[in-house]
Amino acid sequence: MVLRVVLCYKPIIPPLLKMTKLFFKAAVLFIAVYPAISFAQSYQFTASGAKGVANNQAFEIQFYSPNIVRVIKTPVGHAFVTENLSVIKKPVATALKTAKNGDQINLSSSQIKITLNLKSGAIAYLDKNGMPLLREKADGASFKPFDDAGNKTLTVSQSFILDKDEAIYGLGQHQRGNLSQRNQTYKNMMQGNTEDVVPFFQSVKGYGIFWDNYSPTTFSDKPEETLLSSDVGEGIDYYFMYGSNADGVIAQMRDLTGQAPMFPLWTYGFWQSKERYKTQDETVGVLKKYRELGVPIDGIVQDWQYWGNNYLWNSMEFLNVDFSNPQKMMSDIHKMNGHLMISIWSSFGPQTKPYRDMKPKNMLLDFNTWPESGSELWPPKMDYPSGVRPYDVYNPEAREIYWDYLNKGLFKFGIDGWWMDSTEPDHLSFKPTDLDLKTHLGSFRKVRNAYPLMGVGGVYDHQRKVTSDKRVFILTRSAFAGQQRYGANTWSGDITSSWETLQKQIPTGLNFSLSAIPYWNADIGGFFLSKYPRKLEDPEYRELYARWMEFGTFTPLMRSHGADAPREIYQFGKKGDKVYDAAEKYINLRYRLLPYIYSTSWDVTAHQSSMMRALFMDFSADKNVWDIPGEYMFGKSLLVNPVTSSMYTKVAGRDKAEDFGAVKSQETYLPAGRVWYDFWSGQKVAGGKKVSRETPLDIIPLYVKGGSIMPIGPKVQYSSEKNWDNMEIRVYPGADADFTLYEDENDNYNYEKGQYSEIVFHWDDKKGTLTIADRKGAFKGMLTNRTFNLTVAPAGIVTDAGKLKSVSYSGKKVSIKL
């Protein structure tokens, strides 16, 4: 047999709103002299890796960096063309060592080693020391012909072999309550209200896999294999990355798909919302009420229907008569040092201007979305169809039109943030043929899961073009790989109010964060109150709300929201009432923690960190924490164990009643290798065991890692009310510690130009000395002189002033013995 193999590789890079589009085309030509064709193995090393044919499949291995490798496989003779929507990194020159040993080729960078078996085509990955990380299953690549709305393409699959006891995490947001994704199967994953598809997982062994495909995808982990399979693909296309630990893997994924920009300081304060405030006076009045009560708040949210009826759905204009003076509304909110986030959608009603502009240009997707009825009666009258349709976010001109109306209709009033609802989008009355619909980038099926990435990205990119004085802040219901680069926080969707749902939010948020997207939250109190027909009059729900508020304090966004009943703090009583007092306590705690939270957000931006951290991220040597779904680190110092079951509601006769007579307890596992401090009592506890802690309604188990430095800010009514000029610095001994206090102008992009400051604190545990280093950097309005009040392992949030040791700081290094 004579066989000739030619592989062509040609990148084409046109612009797409600052988003790099990479087109890869691999063509394999062959000549065979025998009727029964069988392809011999063939390969060649390239400057970036290798390419060739193995097991009748064309392959290409390309190093994007010493830590990241791209793998492409196709049937021999099949052209491979794809558009990279998530990946924005361009390959960098990487020094490689190559060799051939029998039927195996080897490629090594400074960080990882790769072997490919030329008979089976299977690839194995090892660390630089030769320790196995992951391997493909022999004959694990699969290609099946698929007709995608007239386009002859493939259904593609790849199987891997994992270690028996290996834990893996990620895959986006799925609400099952599990942390490790071993022994899980998610079939035909598509974006949904409470499900966010991110085809990326990472291992406790320190590697990650990003399956770069946007069509409906199945993940299945069984003892014999771990499978990724997608409905549509011109070939198998995935990235292997090695970071040695979870933070390192996330750093590689963000290097590949984009870094997370800074949010404004005020976004980390408390947010009040509900479905929905029906007049501008009501919206402003809620903020005013909080100010009168002296309860801190930074954000108020305006939900839907400020535009009027359903035929005007998402006009992105104030057309409702009850919002007749939006400029006054914004002025009133800003005068109270508040900020407004407003609801916008991915769809338009037939009487809106954007709909009329997009319809003739075929920029609308013809399937049913929310709301289906033009009538606002409930239940909806389906004989009056709304005609609301999602728009084609894949079309750059459509994204331009979207922003143009958003800018002229809303942004001009000074609105501070965008609540991008239904970014999946809602797909009602689903028919499989809906996936055949044509978009700007091919069938809807082909690009289905990238919808939120494109829609959110369009708003971010356009606002950045308009101004750098206001940081983009987007709250969105759905996400895809790479969305962290667009200034977006994802919330967990329209979840029900129940203890079970609350419990599931913790591993849901952790796996989302482990998918390299750092900002996530859940509606405090849950969205639907269907389980509680008495609503806020139900004692069990009031207890649930208090516990949810406590959990929400330790998520990236602290936002109370829901349907069926209002959720403002004053709906739960007044000062002296248990639920009210618990909620107020945690809102105040959130504000005292702002210096810690804002500095952690800088760690996310500058060092690819995560705010919500599964315990294995910091304590992977302790196998006991590999699959603990109910505890996590908030930043790198605080261990949080939210209460997720009812303790103080009992059934009295036929009714439920609050019972605070007996104080209940909850157990917490403290990871080994550290000592820990009870945040509330200051009690020192050894790690590597479970400890029990009393949990009255206003207490959850909260522990500080020994070897931590924590800044505590002043008591305020909003985030920027007071300077951090008289800050408390808490040292928790037990190991050496470092903390970087980050400060900037709070709400612009000057930090990207280097206009910020860092103050590094170092604790020498053996010497008992705290050193405050020379300040690095400067920005307009920076404090040049300040006082730090130092204390060791205090109890509670309010410290005895007599225990504080004050030191004046003017930006020069100082050391203090504690």
PDB file of all heavy atoms in Angstrom, residues 747-775:
ATOM      1  N   ASP A 747     -14.563  53.012  41.445  1.00  0.00           N
ATOM      2  CA  ASP A 747     -15.507  52.822  40.347  1.00  0.00           C
ATOM      3  C   ASP A 747     -15.041  53.517  39.075  1.00  0.00           C
ATOM      4  O   ASP A 747     -15.672  54.460  38.609  1.00  0.00           O
ATOM      5  CB  ASP A 747     -16.902  53.317  40.728  1.00  0.00           C
ATOM      6  CG  ASP A 747     -17.958  52.910  39.689  1.00  0.00           C
ATOM      7  OD1 ASP A 747     -17.614  52.144  38.769  1.00  0.00           O
ATOM      8  OD2 ASP A 747     -19.117  53.347  39.796  1.00  0.00           O
ATOM      9  N   ASN A 748     -13.946  53.108  38.513  1.00  0.00           N
ATOM     10  CA  ASN A 748     -13.533  53.456  37.162  1.00  0.00           C
ATOM     11  C   ASN A 748     -12.450  52.466  36.760  1.00  0.00           C
ATOM     12  O   ASN A 748     -12.123  51.548  37.514  1.00  0.00           O
ATOM     13  CB  ASN A 748     -13.055  54.918  37.059  1.00  0.00           C
ATOM     14  CG  ASN A 748     -11.898  55.212  37.992  1.00  0.00           C
ATOM     15  OD1 ASN A 748     -10.972  54.410  38.134  1.00  0.00           O
ATOM     16  ND2 ASN A 748     -11.940  56.370  38.645  1.00  0.00           N
ATOM     17  N   TYR A 749     -11.901  52.653  35.578  1.00  0.00           N
ATOM     18  CA  TYR A 749     -10.900  51.710  35.094  1.00  0.00           C
ATOM     19  C   TYR A 749      -9.478  52.252  35.184  1.00  0.00           C
ATOM     20  O   TYR A 749      -8.565  51.746  34.523  1.00  0.00           O
ATOM     21  CB  TYR A 749     -11.228  51.284  33.657  1.00  0.00           C
ATOM     22  CG  TYR A 749     -12.414  50.340  33.604  1.00  0.00           C
ATOM     23  CD1 TYR A 749     -13.683  50.809  33.290  1.00  0.00           C
ATOM     24  CD2 TYR A 749     -12.264  48.992  33.907  1.00  0.00           C
ATOM     25  CE1 TYR A 749     -14.765  49.953  33.255  1.00  0.00           C
ATOM     26  CE2 TYR A 749     -13.344  48.130  33.882  1.00  0.00           C
ATOM     27  CZ  TYR A 749     -14.593  48.610  33.550  1.00  0.00           C
ATOM     28  OH  TYR A 749     -15.664  47.747  33.538  1.00  0.00           O
ATOM     29  N   ASN A 750      -9.256  53.263  36.025  1.00  0.00           N
ATOM     30  CA  ASN A 750      -7.906  53.771  36.194  1.00  0.00           C
ATOM     31  C   ASN A 750      -6.966  52.725  36.785  1.00  0.00           C
ATOM     32  O   ASN A 750      -5.751  52.818  36.612  1.00  0.00           O
ATOM     33  CB  ASN A 750      -7.912  55.026  37.075  1.00  0.00           C
ATOM     34  CG  ASN A 750      -8.500  56.231  36.349  1.00  0.00           C
ATOM     35  OD1 ASN A 750      -8.571  56.242  35.117  1.00  0.00           O
ATOM     36  ND2 ASN A 750      -8.926  57.226  37.091  1.00  0.00           N
ATOM     37  N   TYR A 751      -7.526  51.748  37.481  1.00  0.00           N
ATOM     38  CA  TYR A 751      -6.662  50.688  38.026  1.00  0.00           C
ATOM     39  C   TYR A 751      -5.947  49.937  36.913  1.00  0.00           C
ATOM     40  O   TYR A 751      -4.836  49.411  37.100  1.00  0.00           O
ATOM     41  CB  TYR A 751      -7.460  49.721  38.907  1.00  0.00           C
ATOM     42  CG  TYR A 751      -8.318  48.735  38.155  1.00  0.00           C
ATOM     43  CD1 TYR A 751      -7.815  47.507  37.745  1.00  0.00           C
ATOM     44  CD2 TYR A 751      -9.652  49.023  37.865  1.00  0.00           C
ATOM     45  CE1 TYR A 751      -8.603  46.591  37.060  1.00  0.00           C
ATOM     46  CE2 TYR A 751     -10.439  48.121  37.184  1.00  0.00           C
ATOM     47  CZ  TYR A 751      -9.918  46.909  36.778  1.00  0.00           C
ATOM     48  OH  TYR A 751     -10.698  46.010  36.098  1.00  0.00           O
ATOM     49  N   GLU A 752      -6.575  49.890  35.710  1.00  0.00           N
ATOM     50  CA  GLU A 752      -5.918  49.222  34.590  1.00  0.00           C
ATOM     51  C   GLU A 752      -4.687  49.988  34.118  1.00  0.00           C
ATOM     52  O   GLU A 752      -3.821  49.440  33.436  1.00  0.00           O
ATOM     53  CB  GLU A 752      -6.907  49.062  33.423  1.00  0.00           C
ATOM     54  CG  GLU A 752      -8.046  48.111  33.721  1.00  0.00           C
ATOM     55  CD  GLU A 752      -8.990  47.926  32.554  1.00  0.00           C
ATOM     56  OE1 GLU A 752      -9.008  48.773  31.631  1.00  0.00           O
ATOM     57  OE2 GLU A 752      -9.732  46.913  32.549  1.00  0.00           O
ATOM     58  N   LYS A 753      -4.612  51.274  34.499  1.00  0.00           N
ATOM     59  CA  LYS A 753      -3.456  52.110  34.164  1.00  0.00           C
ATOM     60  C   LYS A 753      -2.449  52.166  35.313  1.00  0.00           C
ATOM     61  O   LYS A 753      -1.535  52.990  35.298  1.00  0.00           O
ATOM     62  CB  LYS A 753      -3.929  53.528  33.821  1.00  0.00           C
ATOM     63  CG  LYS A 753      -4.969  53.598  32.718  1.00  0.00           C
ATOM     64  CD  LYS A 753      -5.521  55.011  32.579  1.00  0.00           C
ATOM     65  CE  LYS A 753      -6.646  55.080  31.570  1.00  0.00           C
ATOM     66  NZ  LYS A 753      -7.246  56.447  31.497  1.00  0.00           N
ATOM     67  N   GLY A 754      -2.652  51.319  36.319  1.00  0.00           N
ATOM     68  CA  GLY A 754      -1.731  51.276  37.444  1.00  0.00           C
ATOM     69  C   GLY A 754      -2.064  52.220  38.574  1.00  0.00           C
ATOM     70  O   GLY A 754      -1.263  52.388  39.509  1.00  0.00           O
ATOM     71  N   GLN A 755      -3.249  52.830  38.535  1.00  0.00           N
ATOM     72  CA  GLN A 755      -3.624  53.789  39.584  1.00  0.00           C
ATOM     73  C   GLN A 755      -4.370  53.063  40.705  1.00  0.00           C
ATOM     74  O   GLN A 755      -5.600  53.050  40.769  1.00  0.00           O
ATOM     75  CB  GLN A 755      -4.457  54.918  38.981  1.00  0.00           C
ATOM     76  CG  GLN A 755      -3.679  55.737  37.959  1.00  0.00           C
ATOM     77  CD  GLN A 755      -4.494  56.850  37.324  1.00  0.00           C
ATOM     78  OE1 GLN A 755      -5.359  57.440  37.977  1.00  0.00           O
ATOM     79  NE2 GLN A 755      -4.228  57.141  36.059  1.00  0.00           N
ATOM     80  N   TYR A 756      -3.603  52.447  41.583  1.00  0.00           N
ATOM     81  CA  TYR A 756      -4.116  51.746  42.758  1.00  0.00           C
ATOM     82  C   TYR A 756      -2.960  51.597  43.732  1.00  0.00           C
ATOM     83  O   TYR A 756      -1.790  51.871  43.388  1.00  0.00           O
ATOM     84  CB  TYR A 756      -4.683  50.375  42.384  1.00  0.00           C
ATOM     85  CG  TYR A 756      -3.687  49.424  41.755  1.00  0.00           C
ATOM     86  CD1 TYR A 756      -2.863  48.614  42.553  1.00  0.00           C
ATOM     87  CD2 TYR A 756      -3.557  49.327  40.372  1.00  0.00           C
ATOM     88  CE1 TYR A 756      -1.939  47.743  41.986  1.00  0.00           C
ATOM     89  CE2 TYR A 756      -2.638  48.463  39.792  1.00  0.00           C
ATOM     90  CZ  TYR A 756      -1.834  47.678  40.608  1.00  0.00           C
ATOM     91  OH  TYR A 756      -0.922  46.819  40.039  1.00  0.00           O
ATOM     92  N   SER A 757      -3.268  51.163  44.941  1.00  0.00           N
ATOM     93  CA  SER A 757      -2.202  50.945  45.927  1.00  0.00           C
ATOM     94  C   SER A 757      -2.348  49.577  46.579  1.00  0.00           C
ATOM     95  O   SER A 757      -3.451  49.031  46.675  1.00  0.00           O
ATOM     96  CB  SER A 757      -2.209  52.038  47.002  1.00  0.00           C
ATOM     97  OG  SER A 757      -3.274  51.844  47.911  1.00  0.00           O
ATOM     98  N   GLU A 758      -1.232  49.035  47.007  1.00  0.00           N
ATOM     99  CA  GLU A 758      -1.185  47.784  47.753  1.00  0.00           C
ATOM    100  C   GLU A 758      -0.329  47.989  48.998  1.00  0.00           C
ATOM    101  O   GLU A 758       0.762  48.548  48.929  1.00  0.00           O
ATOM    102  CB  GLU A 758      -0.569  46.666  46.909  1.00  0.00           C
ATOM    103  CG  GLU A 758      -1.376  46.264  45.689  1.00  0.00           C
ATOM    104  CD  GLU A 758      -0.675  45.200  44.874  1.00  0.00           C
ATOM    105  OE1 GLU A 758       0.515  45.404  44.547  1.00  0.00           O
ATOM    106  OE2 GLU A 758      -1.292  44.161  44.572  1.00  0.00           O
ATOM    107  N   ILE A 759      -0.849  47.532  50.124  1.00  0.00           N
ATOM    108  CA  ILE A 759      -0.101  47.527  51.372  1.00  0.00           C
ATOM    109  C   ILE A 759      -0.018  46.078  51.834  1.00  0.00           C
ATOM    110  O   ILE A 759      -1.048  45.447  52.106  1.00  0.00           O
ATOM    111  CB  ILE A 759      -0.758  48.402  52.447  1.00  0.00           C
ATOM    112  CG1 ILE A 759      -0.885  49.853  51.951  1.00  0.00           C
ATOM    113  CG2 ILE A 759       0.038  48.349  53.747  1.00  0.00           C
ATOM    114  CD1 ILE A 759      -1.678  50.746  52.894  1.00  0.00           C
ATOM    115  N   VAL A 760       1.192  45.547  51.904  1.00  0.00           N
ATOM    116  CA  VAL A 760       1.395  44.143  52.256  1.00  0.00           C
ATOM    117  C   VAL A 760       1.686  44.025  53.747  1.00  0.00           C
ATOM    118  O   VAL A 760       2.590  44.682  54.277  1.00  0.00           O
ATOM    119  CB  VAL A 760       2.552  43.534  51.435  1.00  0.00           C
ATOM    120  CG1 VAL A 760       2.806  42.096  51.869  1.00  0.00           C
ATOM    121  CG2 VAL A 760       2.233  43.586  49.944  1.00  0.00           C
ATOM    122  N   PHE A 761       0.907  43.178  54.415  1.00  0.00           N
ATOM    123  CA  PHE A 761       1.103  42.856  55.828  1.00  0.00           C
ATOM    124  C   PHE A 761       1.714  41.463  55.921  1.00  0.00           C
ATOM    125  O   PHE A 761       1.256  40.531  55.243  1.00  0.00           O
ATOM    126  CB  PHE A 761      -0.227  42.864  56.582  1.00  0.00           C
ATOM    127  CG  PHE A 761      -0.910  44.206  56.624  1.00  0.00           C
ATOM    128  CD1 PHE A 761      -1.617  44.686  55.527  1.00  0.00           C
ATOM    129  CD2 PHE A 761      -0.845  44.996  57.759  1.00  0.00           C
ATOM    130  CE1 PHE A 761      -2.250  45.918  55.562  1.00  0.00           C
ATOM    131  CE2 PHE A 761      -1.480  46.233  57.809  1.00  0.00           C
ATOM    132  CZ  PHE A 761      -2.178  46.698  56.709  1.00  0.00           C
ATOM    133  N   HIS A 762       2.732  41.316  56.774  1.00  0.00           N
ATOM    134  CA  HIS A 762       3.347  40.004  56.981  1.00  0.00           C
ATOM    135  C   HIS A 762       3.432  39.710  58.475  1.00  0.00           C
ATOM    136  O   HIS A 762       3.918  40.528  59.254  1.00  0.00           O
ATOM    137  CB  HIS A 762       4.745  39.939  56.370  1.00  0.00           C
ATOM    138  CG  HIS A 762       5.458  38.653  56.695  1.00  0.00           C
ATOM    139  ND1 HIS A 762       5.119  37.450  56.120  1.00  0.00           N
ATOM    140  CD2 HIS A 762       6.470  38.368  57.578  1.00  0.00           C
ATOM    141  CE1 HIS A 762       5.884  36.490  56.605  1.00  0.00           C
ATOM    142  NE2 HIS A 762       6.713  37.015  57.492  1.00  0.00           N
ATOM    143  N   TRP A 763       2.963  38.529  58.847  1.00  0.00           N
ATOM    144  CA  TRP A 763       3.026  38.076  60.236  1.00  0.00           C
ATOM    145  C   TRP A 763       4.079  36.994  60.365  1.00  0.00           C
ATOM    146  O   TRP A 763       4.015  35.958  59.693  1.00  0.00           O
ATOM    147  CB  TRP A 763       1.669  37.534  60.678  1.00  0.00           C
ATOM    148  CG  TRP A 763       1.671  36.805  61.989  1.00  0.00           C
ATOM    149  CD1 TRP A 763       1.535  35.456  62.181  1.00  0.00           C
ATOM    150  CD2 TRP A 763       1.817  37.376  63.285  1.00  0.00           C
ATOM    151  NE1 TRP A 763       1.582  35.156  63.512  1.00  0.00           N
ATOM    152  CE2 TRP A 763       1.752  36.318  64.223  1.00  0.00           C
ATOM    153  CE3 TRP A 763       2.004  38.680  63.753  1.00  0.00           C
ATOM    154  CZ2 TRP A 763       1.863  36.515  65.588  1.00  0.00           C
ATOM    155  CZ3 TRP A 763       2.116  38.889  65.117  1.00  0.00           C
ATOM    156  CH2 TRP A 763       2.042  37.826  66.021  1.00  0.00           C
ATOM    157  N   ASP A 764       5.080  37.252  61.198  1.00  0.00           N
ATOM    158  CA  ASP A 764       6.093  36.258  61.529  1.00  0.00           C
ATOM    159  C   ASP A 764       5.635  35.566  62.801  1.00  0.00           C
ATOM    160  O   ASP A 764       5.699  36.131  63.890  1.00  0.00           O
ATOM    161  CB  ASP A 764       7.455  36.936  61.729  1.00  0.00           C
ATOM    162  CG  ASP A 764       8.593  35.931  61.916  1.00  0.00           C
ATOM    163  OD1 ASP A 764       8.420  34.977  62.699  1.00  0.00           O
ATOM    164  OD2 ASP A 764       9.649  36.120  61.288  1.00  0.00           O
ATOM    165  N   ASP A 765       5.160  34.332  62.638  1.00  0.00           N
ATOM    166  CA  ASP A 765       4.530  33.658  63.768  1.00  0.00           C
ATOM    167  C   ASP A 765       5.532  33.335  64.875  1.00  0.00           C
ATOM    168  O   ASP A 765       5.201  33.431  66.068  1.00  0.00           O
ATOM    169  CB  ASP A 765       3.857  32.369  63.276  1.00  0.00           C
ATOM    170  CG  ASP A 765       2.820  31.848  64.255  1.00  0.00           C
ATOM    171  OD1 ASP A 765       1.869  32.587  64.556  1.00  0.00           O
ATOM    172  OD2 ASP A 765       2.964  30.696  64.705  1.00  0.00           O
ATOM    173  N   LYS A 766       6.730  32.968  64.503  1.00  0.00           N
ATOM    174  CA  LYS A 766       7.733  32.604  65.506  1.00  0.00           C
ATOM    175  C   LYS A 766       8.153  33.815  66.331  1.00  0.00           C
ATOM    176  O   LYS A 766       8.291  33.735  67.561  1.00  0.00           O
ATOM    177  CB  LYS A 766       8.939  31.976  64.828  1.00  0.00           C
ATOM    178  CG  LYS A 766       9.994  31.441  65.799  1.00  0.00           C
ATOM    179  CD  LYS A 766      11.117  30.738  65.048  1.00  0.00           C
ATOM    180  CE  LYS A 766      12.155  30.194  66.017  1.00  0.00           C
ATOM    181  NZ  LYS A 766      13.264  29.498  65.291  1.00  0.00           N
ATOM    182  N   LYS A 767       8.325  34.949  65.664  1.00  0.00           N
ATOM    183  CA  LYS A 767       8.771  36.160  66.354  1.00  0.00           C
ATOM    184  C   LYS A 767       7.612  36.957  66.953  1.00  0.00           C
ATOM    185  O   LYS A 767       7.830  37.838  67.785  1.00  0.00           O
ATOM    186  CB  LYS A 767       9.548  37.053  65.395  1.00  0.00           C
ATOM    187  CG  LYS A 767      10.848  36.449  64.899  1.00  0.00           C
ATOM    188  CD  LYS A 767      11.555  37.403  63.946  1.00  0.00           C
ATOM    189  CE  LYS A 767      12.879  36.813  63.454  1.00  0.00           C
ATOM    190  NZ  LYS A 767      13.561  37.719  62.494  1.00  0.00           N
ATOM    191  N   GLY A 768       6.386  36.651  66.519  1.00  0.00           N
ATOM    192  CA  GLY A 768       5.247  37.418  66.999  1.00  0.00           C
ATOM    193  C   GLY A 768       5.271  38.852  66.532  1.00  0.00           C
ATOM    194  O   GLY A 768       4.870  39.777  67.254  1.00  0.00           O
ATOM    195  N   THR A 769       5.726  39.052  65.286  1.00  0.00           N
ATOM    196  CA  THR A 769       5.913  40.403  64.749  1.00  0.00           C
ATOM    197  C   THR A 769       5.075  40.600  63.487  1.00  0.00           C
ATOM    198  O   THR A 769       5.065  39.747  62.585  1.00  0.00           O
ATOM    199  CB  THR A 769       7.393  40.645  64.409  1.00  0.00           C
ATOM    200  OG1 THR A 769       8.174  40.493  65.596  1.00  0.00           O
ATOM    201  CG2 THR A 769       7.597  42.042  63.855  1.00  0.00           C
ATOM    202  N   LEU A 770       4.383  41.712  63.443  1.00  0.00           N
ATOM    203  CA  LEU A 770       3.641  42.116  62.240  1.00  0.00           C
ATOM    204  C   LEU A 770       4.413  43.218  61.535  1.00  0.00           C
ATOM    205  O   LEU A 770       4.725  44.252  62.152  1.00  0.00           O
ATOM    206  CB  LEU A 770       2.239  42.610  62.598  1.00  0.00           C
ATOM    207  CG  LEU A 770       1.379  43.059  61.411  1.00  0.00           C
ATOM    208  CD1 LEU A 770       0.971  41.859  60.556  1.00  0.00           C
ATOM    209  CD2 LEU A 770       0.132  43.808  61.885  1.00  0.00           C
ATOM    210  N   THR A 771       4.710  43.002  60.258  1.00  0.00           N
ATOM    211  CA  THR A 771       5.416  44.007  59.466  1.00  0.00           C
ATOM    212  C   THR A 771       4.477  44.549  58.395  1.00  0.00           C
ATOM    213  O   THR A 771       3.853  43.787  57.652  1.00  0.00           O
ATOM    214  CB  THR A 771       6.662  43.404  58.797  1.00  0.00           C
ATOM    215  OG1 THR A 771       7.555  42.930  59.819  1.00  0.00           O
ATOM    216  CG2 THR A 771       7.375  44.445  57.947  1.00  0.00           C
ATOM    217  N   ILE A 772       4.380  45.868  58.357  1.00  0.00           N
ATOM    218  CA  ILE A 772       3.607  46.549  57.317  1.00  0.00           C
ATOM    219  C   ILE A 772       4.612  47.127  56.340  1.00  0.00           C
ATOM    220  O   ILE A 772       5.417  47.992  56.699  1.00  0.00           O
ATOM    221  CB  ILE A 772       2.716  47.657  57.900  1.00  0.00           C
ATOM    222  CG1 ILE A 772       1.895  47.108  59.080  1.00  0.00           C
ATOM    223  CG2 ILE A 772       1.790  48.221  56.822  1.00  0.00           C
ATOM    224  CD1 ILE A 772       1.109  48.177  59.825  1.00  0.00           C
ATOM    225  N   ALA A 773       4.607  46.647  55.104  1.00  0.00           N
ATOM    226  CA  ALA A 773       5.622  47.010  54.124  1.00  0.00           C
ATOM    227  C   ALA A 773       5.373  48.405  53.554  1.00  0.00           C
ATOM    228  O   ALA A 773       4.315  49.017  53.775  1.00  0.00           O
ATOM    229  CB  ALA A 773       5.641  45.980  53.001  1.00  0.00           C
ATOM    230  N   ASP A 774       6.356  48.896  52.815  1.00  0.00           N
ATOM    231  CA  ASP A 774       6.178  50.155  52.096  1.00  0.00           C
ATOM    232  C   ASP A 774       4.978  50.048  51.165  1.00  0.00           C
ATOM    233  O   ASP A 774       4.789  49.014  50.500  1.00  0.00           O
ATOM    234  CB  ASP A 774       7.417  50.476  51.255  1.00  0.00           C
ATOM    235  CG  ASP A 774       8.634  50.828  52.100  1.00  0.00           C
ATOM    236  OD1 ASP A 774       8.456  51.159  53.292  1.00  0.00           O
ATOM    237  OD2 ASP A 774       9.761  50.764  51.563  1.00  0.00           O
ATOM    238  N   ARG A 775       4.182  51.088  51.140  1.00  0.00           N
ATOM    239  CA  ARG A 775       3.040  51.091  50.224  1.00  0.00           C
ATOM    240  C   ARG A 775       3.535  51.108  48.785  1.00  0.00           C
ATOM    241  O   ARG A 775       4.466  51.836  48.434  1.00  0.00           O
ATOM    242  CB  ARG A 775       2.174  52.319  50.494  1.00  0.00           C
ATOM    243  CG  ARG A 775       0.936  52.402  49.595  1.00  0.00           C
ATOM    244  CD  ARG A 775       0.050  53.588  49.947  1.00  0.00           C
ATOM    245  NE  ARG A 775       0.823  54.830  49.984  1.00  0.00           N
ATOM    246  CZ  ARG A 775       0.840  55.678  51.013  1.00  0.00           C
ATOM    247  NH1 ARG A 775       0.137  55.415  52.095  1.00  0.00           N
ATOM    248  NH2 ARG A 775       1.567  56.770  50.973  1.00  0.00           N
TER     249      ARG A 775
END
